[in-house]
Amino acid sequence: MEPSDKREDTEEVLPPPPPPPPTVIPPDGVGVPMNPEHKSESVKKAMIPKRVPVSRRGFGSKGQKIQLLTNHFKVGISNAGGHFFHYSVALSYEDGHPVEMKGVGRKIMDKVLETYDTELSVKDFAYDGEKSLFTVGALPHNKLEFTVVLDSVSSNRSNVVSRNTDNGSHDGNESPEGADRKRLRRASQSRTFKVEISFAAKIPMQAIASALRGQESENSQEALRVLDIILRQHAAKQGCLLVRQSFFHDNPRNFTDLGGGVLGCRGFHSSFRATQGGLSLNVDGSTTTIIQPGPLVDFLIANQDARDPFQLDWSKAKRTLKNLRIKVKPSNQEYRIVGLSENLCKEQLFALKKKGNDDDEGIEVTVYDYFVNYRKIGLHYSGDLPCINVGKPKRPTFLPIELCFLVPLQRYTKALTVHQRTTLVERSRQKPQEKMMILTDVMKTNNYEADPLLRSCGISISTQFTQVEGRVLPAPRLKAGNGEDLIARNGRWNFNNKRLAEPSKINNWAAVNFSARCDTRGLCRDLARVGETKGIFIDPPIDIFEENPQFRRAPPMVRVEKMFEQMKPQLPDGPPHFIVCLLPDRKNSDIYGPWKRKCLAEFGIFNQCLAPGRVNDQYLMNVLLKINAKLGGLNTLLAIEPSRSIPLVSKVPTIIFGMDVSHGSPGQSDIPSVAAVVSSRCWPLISRYRASVRTQSPKVEMIDSLFKPVSDKDLGIIRELLLEFYVSSGQTKPTQIIIFRKKSQRDGVSESQFNQVLNIELDQMIEACKFLDEKWNPKFTIIIAQKNHHTKFFQAGSQDNVPPGTVIDSKVCHPTHYDFYMCAHAGMIGTTRPTHYHVLLDEIGFSADDMQELIHSLSYVYQRSTNAISIVAPVRYAHLAATQVSQFIKFDDSSETSSSHGSLTSVGGPPVPELPKLHDKVCSSMFFC
């Protein structure tokens, strides 16, 4: 199980839409931009792509060959000469207003197929749930119009207890007996819908074969999209929750309780892929989080960890419940929550009219009296609680809370707590053989061969895992202190009887303790003892500061300020060079952000935060690795660094960039994203880095501050990092630039982000270089590093993961693009997830072997640990830098964007707060380690 991507409030997240049609150029050759004042120069240039990803230049040959299985299942097509027909679907009510309710589209289209099968020539279709429909072969006419009636529609349009309720009306909360059976049809509001189906495009299935030959086009992307939509419809008919191409059944065996009224739900992902081995179906485990179904009040009590419903925070409950779907007992009617009543159930009044008398103003009764006395429904505790509102803004409809039950399979889209996230990860892990068994079962139970549309396409899907050949690269040689060799075995090494490669000396330092349970002095002594064995000599701290107990319940910012006030009189010579800070909480302490900001931005103090539970020598050794890297030391380095034997990198000045963008938690669309770029320094080393971090508009994946001209200056990220390289590398400008870019979290179509990197971000970097020196023309190599994908590899008949250093560049890779998978690390828990590397540009000219060995080596230079990591270190460092610096500013849910450091105005959005600038003393360090 892997956590699925998060989304906002809808049940379905559609696959990406087809690419927009090409811009129509007027006869005079001059296009008219929509809003030219809002388009930056770089965006204008990207409107017509200049660069495309490079093609594969060859395959790697180094390493020991290994036979593997992968979760790609071979797909055959016997109807390659056929066509998909694309139709646009418009749904409206009788009055012509468009249907905007989520989820009702599939019900309407199912009714169309059921009612008008003859008019449709009994032709099955694939419907995406919104505005597109696909068939194999054409419908009888290019435009068809139908009218259908749905007996029951889950909608806010139904009334239960509204401001104007007829005395005899059915309330949706009793069994429809006698006369009330007629009222039920009106209460559920059987709706008439108009459906208009119009021809849009004809897509040859042959486009799939063209994609397999590397001849990708809009048609080939659309054809694969149609196949994916068929899979979604196949799952929808089974009652699954759909999240892009991941599907989740309502089966309690797939649920795990995460606490707080939230469940982890295990499902599966499936999508068609064009590969070197032909068309394949990629099937993998997937996980999402859902609301605990059942009594609404039970969910709220669990969500707020309350003792009973009378302890609930109803303002918080209102935010939590909005847009959730409920069923009402005993009628089983379904509604969507829009809010809560202003008054308690016993006090909330509404006008109850007499049956058949529209002129009657009615009598005022409470919701409680209506249900108890008029409807004879017993209420045990709802009278003293707010009502649930399922009506409209001007016509609320109220329900007692104890009659409301949450329907199953509703996504929980808010940020998980640390405990929930940890529990989800722990219970989602599956060993390789367990995962293979589950996927084998998925392929059997899905019964794809019975799907009529897949049969119409001539699609057949194998149930056998695809066999692929991989290669295991040998681990690079590492160097410790005194030039001693470190031997990595199974992707791991240790410092037994060895010193660090370049240990730091720690003096002028202090310790600060915000935790009431820690022996600070004892920890400082043990830290010095362990450090001495590794070559780090640590003087006694100049002082140890214990937090005044009276401030322990104060806000985090106040606690940090009071600690610095406490320290100042004891440090007459100014702040120390380094501080060890003991936090009160094991994870996600509120003090962490304010403390880091105070140290790194205001005073320029190197610092290490700890939240120790059980302290032993191994724990202290891991802490010392981080401290040494922050203070400018090196724990290990590659043997090929000092010997200058890295192909194409050691001979010519080369800088390596790692880039990542960190976004706010799911459901927080107004929190600024944070972009970080790290760069290598001190060439010819590739183990030392520094970082530059900026805020940008929320959820924007493209980094927009790489080049930032202001007057006659460039305030962008790249200039800052290039100057640092120049100073640290002996006044040398890099003639080669290698860029590792983390791919966005969304799996699926990559072309849009690839285009952004190649034609917008790269242009910014070139402009930054030209700004420094107009004649400077460095060579660029750009590699996308993708972790969020669904391809896994297995050793047949083995309980173990694939060995570290495994690389796969054939069979399941792209037909023509330059990509490969690498498992550089040893998967100790669960099933190893490889990193998928996409080489977009290679002006430097690496061979396949040299490229793969460089990436493999960069997985061994991560200074925070004694093992290879799953992705190249520069990308991991960029992620760490973005995550840490983002906590400098406490962004809240109210979108407060003011900042004492000024703000950046993003195009089409509110100002984005700038991050405080790092102090000169620490800005060139690996503070993020």
Side-chain angles (χ1 to χ4, degrees), residues 125-155:
F125 53 70
Y127 176 54
D128 71 353
E130 292 207 348
K131 296 182 179 180
S132 289
L133 178 150
F134 300 89
T135 62
V136 179
L139 293 176
H141 304 285
N142 281 349
K143 188 169 184 178
L144 296 165
E145 294 183 357
F146 303 109
T147 300
V148 295
V149 178
L150 292 189
D151 292 336
S152 177
V153 179
S154 172
S155 163

Side-chain angles (χ1 to χ4, degrees), residues 19-25 47 218:
T23 304
V24 177
I25 305 297
M47 292 177 69
E218 182 179 330

Side-chain angles (χ1 to χ4, degrees), residues 37-317:
E37 69 275 13
H38 293 313
K39 293 185 185 296
S40 66
E41 286 301 318
S42 56
V43 171
K44 290 178 185 176
K45 291 178 181 178
M47 292 177 69
I48 303 176
K50 296 183 299 184
R51 308 178 187 94
V52 295
V54 297
S55 298
R56 187 183 304 278
R57 294 176 179 170
F59 297 90
S61 59
K62 292 186 178 179
Q64 183 177 349
K65 292 182 179 180
I66 182 173
Q67 298 303 314
L68 303 169
L69 298 175
T70 184
N71 58 336
H72 284 240
F73 300 86
K74 189 171 180 58
V75 176
I77 306 179
S78 60
N79 187 20
H83 288 81
F84 293 118
F85 283 76
H86 178 195
Y87 295 87
S88 296
V89 177
L91 306 178
S92 61
Y93 298 106
E94 280 184 292
D95 59 8
H97 284 84
V99 175
E100 295 178 348
M101 276 190 298
K102 297 293 183 182
V104 74
R106 291 191 185 278
K107 295 179 182 179
I108 295 172
M109 296 308 296
D110 286 345
K111 191 71 172 179
V112 168
L113 186 60
E114 174 189 332
T115 309
Y116 298 98
D117 56 342
T118 303
E119 288 83 346
L120 293 168
S121 300
V122 202
K123 195 171 286 293
D124 290 300
F125 53 70
Y127 176 54
D128 71 353
E130 292 207 348
K131 296 182 179 180
S132 289
L133 178 150
F134 300 89
T135 62
V136 179
L139 293 176
H141 304 285
N142 281 349
K143 188 169 184 178
L144 296 165
E145 294 183 357
F146 303 109
T147 300
V148 295
V149 178
L150 292 189
D151 292 336
S152 177
V153 179
S154 172
S155 163
N156 297 343
R157 302 173 192 276
S158 303
N159 289 325
V160 181
V161 175
S162 71
R163 290 286 186 187
N164 300 287
T165 300
D166 292 343
N167 190 13
S169 70
H170 180 72
D171 57 83
N173 297 287
E174 62 177 351
S175 299
E177 299 294 339
D180 275 344
R181 188 182 300 276
K182 297 178 181 178
R183 300 296 303 171
L184 174 61
R185 285 198 290 274
R186 281 191 283 174
S188 64
Q189 290 201 351
S190 298
R191 299 303 300 263
T192 299
F193 297 94
K194 294 181 179 179
V195 181
E196 186 177 290
I197 300 175
S198 306
F199 174 77
K202 184 178 179 181
I203 307 164
M205 293 187 194
Q206 188 63 38
I208 298 175
S210 299
L212 298 176
R213 293 192 299 270
Q215 299 168 357
E216 287 190 285
S217 63
E218 182 179 330
N219 272 340
S220 60
Q221 293 175 24
E222 271 290 84
L224 290 176
R225 177 174 174 254
V226 174
L227 295 180
D228 282 342
I229 288 172
I230 293 173
L231 294 185
R232 286 170 55 78
Q233 180 167 281
H234 183 85
K237 288 181 177 179
Q238 300 176 45
C240 290
L241 167 66
L242 312 181
V243 185
R244 297 196 185 101
Q245 288 301 127
S246 292
F247 315 124
F248 303 90
H249 289 275
D250 184 17
N251 186 339
R253 289 186 306 170
N254 297 332
F255 300 160
T256 183
D257 188 3
L258 305 181
V262 181
L263 302 178
C265 180
R266 188 177 70 193
F268 67 95
H269 164 96
S270 63
S271 61
F272 287 96
R273 301 287 185 193
T275 69
Q276 294 168 18
L279 188 64
S280 70
L281 181 66
N282 179 208
V283 180
D284 192 21
S286 189
T287 303
T288 192
T289 49
I290 60 172
I291 300 286
Q292 170 81 57
L296 179 60
V297 72
D298 289 354
F299 164 72
L300 288 175
I301 290 172
N303 186 251
Q304 297 189 22
D305 195 22
R307 292 193 304 274
D308 55 57
F310 305 103
Q311 306 296 322
L312 292 170
D313 178 343
W314 289 103
S315 61
K316 182 179 178 182

Side-chain angles (χ1 to χ4, degrees), residues 149 293 307 371 396 693 717 751 782 887:
V149 178
R307 292 193 304 274
F371 279 91
V693 186
I717 291 175
E751 283 71 15
I782 301 177
Q887 298 189 55

Side-chain angles (χ1 to χ4, degrees), residues 524-534 538 616-617 620:
C524 290
R525 286 194 301 270
D526 291 341
L527 199 63
R529 174 179 55 80
V530 175
E532 186 175 359
T533 66
K534 304 306 169 191
I538 306 175
N616 54 31
D617 285 5
L620 294 173

